[in-house]
Amino acid sequence: MRLRSYSFVCGLLCASLALALRAQNQHESVYAELGKAPAKYQQMQNPLASDPDAPVAGGILFEEHCEGCHGKEAAGGKKAPTLRALEVRSAPPGAIFWILSNGVVRKKMPVWSKLPEPERWQLVSYIQALNGETKASDSGKK
Amino acid sequence: MFSQKFGVLRFLSRLFFVLVFGLLAGCFVPALEAQENPYIVAYDHNLEEPGSLEVEYFSTFGTQRGGPDFHGFWSEFEYGATAWWTTEFYLDAQSTFGESTIFTGFRWENRFRPLKTEHFVNPVLYVEFENVNEADKILKEVEGHDVESDYVVPNSIARKEKDREMEFKLILSRNYKGWNFTENTLAVKNLSNKPWEFGYALGASRPLTLKGAAHRCNFCLQHFIAGVEMYGGLGDRYSFGLHNTSHYVAPGLAWNLPSGWTFRIEPTFGLNDQSHQFLLRWGASYEFSGFGETVQNLFKGHRP
């Protein structure tokens, strides 16, 4: 009886592990999600846009919370795409904020609503500053 | 006596194996700063990041009227299977002063987030299987008619009684202007012929400041989250209500270090005569980012 209950629990553990690993193998682009932000968010401006410390603080927050998946300086990692892509570059700040707040839970992007709103806006400032750098270097090349 | 000592040694050797494995794994996978709330009993809707493993150790020191003080402790291995599913495995143990130190069992819990985006209130479904004995004193949840006198039974007797239970929770939680508010409704069914038991947990928490600092620091206020939780039993199917139940209130503080470590402390106070008068809980945890991927690569033969 005891052996049977332990084998049942072991079986369940193995099945859950297999499902977990399988779920992690799904890979789809998340850029399309930026366009799904509600109009209210698409029009939202970054309240910290004029704060010169915001991109710096956002950079530190990015290293602590996001770099593990999105790679160093958002250049992209094995688990998540680069945030220096055209889609992110052209996205309104509110749409990036919406993605951070809601995640894309069916595509592995976690919800970051546990970070307070000002920290999420600092992250938006950092991502946009990165893309500003990218734009400048692009135009320099041209 | 010999079997008791052997049991402790066996438990310690397992714990050692798990810690060594965790540390070795830590050499291969980077840490990630967690943003953990100070709750030890209540759950919020924030799940583990996908692929991350959080290894946690918690401790409950309890005073007891009519019996010796005790120290309940447990390890948790919390894995983010997906962004909507977190699975967690627990190993429980306890020391009752003047009696013995014993391994009391294991738990396996799963939390599922059914909604895709954030809402006014965010539900999470929680399912747990527990295989512990009656000597378990971690007080991870308070349910039914759990009261202080239940914990006075000596280890040598209590450990012979097995508890195999399924536990279900509906977690309703919201993050609002830096605050987290959460409410957990708990229903437990012992797999033997015992009635459904009920309980609750409530929590509120907030970081000490809402903006991130523009310099690297361990002691910045953003890394500290203060909160309070309250929990207790609500009787069982045949005697639902507050009669003969215990209730606690616990202010707490969590310190989330950028290195991936989180420390929590929570003095807990009993609110009625059926509750322990005082419990001191604390915990330390470490989050390994990309643990799942590293394990996958090990089995595929790729370098991490």
Side-chain angles (χ1 to χ4, degrees):
Chain A
M1 181 64 192
R2 200 173 175 190
L3 184 70
R4 218 166 33 178
S5 76
Y6 278 116
S7 3
F8 176 69
V9 171
C10 285
L12 277 176
L13 275 169
C14 292
S16 74
L17 186 68
L19 273 172
L21 294 175
R22 186 171 167 249
Q24 288 198 341
N25 283 332
Q26 296 168 355
H27 186 75
E28 278 182 74
S29 166
V30 293
Y31 298 132
E33 298 294 322
L34 284 163
K36 293 180 187 169
K40 181 183 142 191
Y41 284 90
Q42 299 276 7
Q43 288 154 14
M44 207 179 255
Q45 291 305 308
N46 184 347
L48 303 179
S50 57
D51 180 352
D53 285 342
V56 183
I60 295 170
L61 290 168
F62 188 89
E63 278 179 28
E64 290 170 356
H65 299 291
C66 319
E67 204 175 76
C69 296
H70 287 287
K72 211 166 175 55
E73 295 183 347
K78 282 181 188 169
K79 287 163 70 181
T82 174
L83 300 179
R84 290 169 173 262
L86 179 66
E87 290 88 338
V88 185
R89 239 186 271 177
S90 53
I96 302 173
F97 179 82
W98 183 80
I99 291 283
L100 278 169
S101 305
N102 291 279
V104 190
V105 291
R106 300 289 182 263
K107 294 177 186 170
K108 296 197 285 186
M109 166 74 183
V111 175
W112 285 102
S113 71
K114 62 182 171 184
L115 292 179
E117 277 187 29
E119 287 192 2
R120 276 177 266 154
W121 281 118
Q122 286 175 324
L123 278 167
V124 173
S125 297
Y126 171 71
I127 292 165
Q128 294 207 303
L130 268 182
N131 284 315
E133 279 170 24
T134 317
K135 272 181 202 169
S137 62
D138 283 356
S139 54
K141 278 176 197 167
K142 282 169 194 171
Chain B
M1 188 66 185
F2 173 77
S3 67
Q4 210 171 57
K5 273 187 183 168
F6 183 70
V8 173
L9 280 174
R10 201 168 47 181
F11 170 68
L12 289 175
S13 63
R14 281 176 191 169
L15 194 66
F16 176 75
F17 169 77
V18 165
L19 288 175
V20 168
F21 176 74
L23 286 172
L24 282 175
C27 298
F28 295 102
V29 292
L32 182 82
E33 187 194 339
Q35 184 81 3
E36 302 293 336
N37 281 324
Y39 313 136
I40 291 183
V41 172
Y43 286 85
D44 57 31
H45 70 291
N46 303 313
L47 301 185
E48 191 61 49
E49 286 81 44
S52 288
L53 176 77
E54 192 169 359
V55 181
E56 303 171 87
Y57 169 82
F58 285 97
S59 207
T60 297
F61 169 78
T63 58
Q64 236 171 190
R65 286 164 292 182
D69 296 343
F70 64 87
H71 175 220
F73 47 98
W74 70 100
S75 302
E76 291 184 32
F77 303 88
E78 183 176 352
Y79 180 67
T82 66
W84 51 267
W85 171 28
T86 291
T87 185
E88 198 164 349
F89 186 70
Y90 293 68
L91 293 170
D92 299 2
Q94 60 103 324
S95 284
T96 301
F97 300 129
E99 288 184 15
S100 55
T101 298
I102 52 172
F103 172 66
T104 53
F106 70 88
R107 298 152 193 259
W108 176 39
E109 75 169 46
N110 290 281
R111 278 174 283 150
F112 303 97
R113 187 191 161 101
L115 301 179
K116 278 185 189 175
T117 55
E118 287 280 285
H119 290 76
F120 182 77
V121 173
N122 303 285
V124 168
L125 306 173
Y126 172 110
V127 184
E128 180 186 276
F129 171 74
E130 282 182 27
N131 187 353
V132 296
N133 59 47
E134 291 276 351
D136 197 78
K137 290 182 180 176
I138 69 166
L139 282 113
K140 187 72 178 72
E141 62 273 314
V142 177
E143 72 222 18
H145 294 289
D146 285 352
V147 291
E148 185 186 22
S149 54
D150 296 344
Y151 296 87
V152 178
V153 182
N155 282 352
S156 52
I157 299 169
R159 70 183 302 185
K160 288 175 187 161
E161 285 289 316
K162 289 278 175 200
D163 264 345
R164 290 193 181 91
E165 294 181 340
M166 289 301 296
E167 187 177 305
F168 304 92
K169 280 180 189 167
L170 174 63
I171 298 161
L172 300 172
S173 164
R174 180 173 195 207
N175 293 325
Y176 179 68
K177 294 196 182 292
W179 285 88
N180 173 262
F181 301 99
T182 187
E183 189 277 332
N184 303 176
T185 305
L186 160 74
V188 179
K189 179 73 181 88
N190 193 304
L191 297 180
S192 62
N193 193 20
K194 288 184 183 170
W196 282 88
E197 295 180 302
F198 304 99
Y200 72 91
L202 305 165
S205 66
R206 183 188 187 274
L208 298 187
T209 186
L210 301 184
K211 259 190 181 181
H215 59 279
R216 286 167 212 285
C217 53
N218 285 330
F219 293 97
C220 296
L221 292 179
Q222 77 199 65
H223 297 309
F224 292 91
I225 303 181
V228 63
E229 60 180 339
M230 182 181 165
Y231 47 90
L234 291 172
D236 59 34
R237 186 186 157 197
Y238 300 109
S239 55
F240 186 82
L242 300 178
H243 175 67
N244 201 25
T245 56
S246 56
H247 303 269
Y248 298 89
V249 65
L253 186 71
W255 180 24
N256 293 296
L257 283 155
S259 59
W261 284 96
T262 297
F263 297 97
R264 291 183 181 93
I265 187 152
E266 198 180 78
T268 304
F269 305 94
L271 294 176
N272 63 4
D273 269 352
Q274 278 77 43
S275 317
H276 293 274
Q277 286 184 311
F278 179 72
L279 303 169
L280 181 64
R281 295 171 177 272
W282 65 276
S285 57
Y286 188 80
E287 187 162 330
F288 299 103
S289 168
F291 178 83
E293 200 179 37
T294 307
V295 172
Q296 273 182 316
N297 288 342
L298 281 176
F299 287 106
K300 280 179 191 167
H302 297 163
R303 271 180 197 276

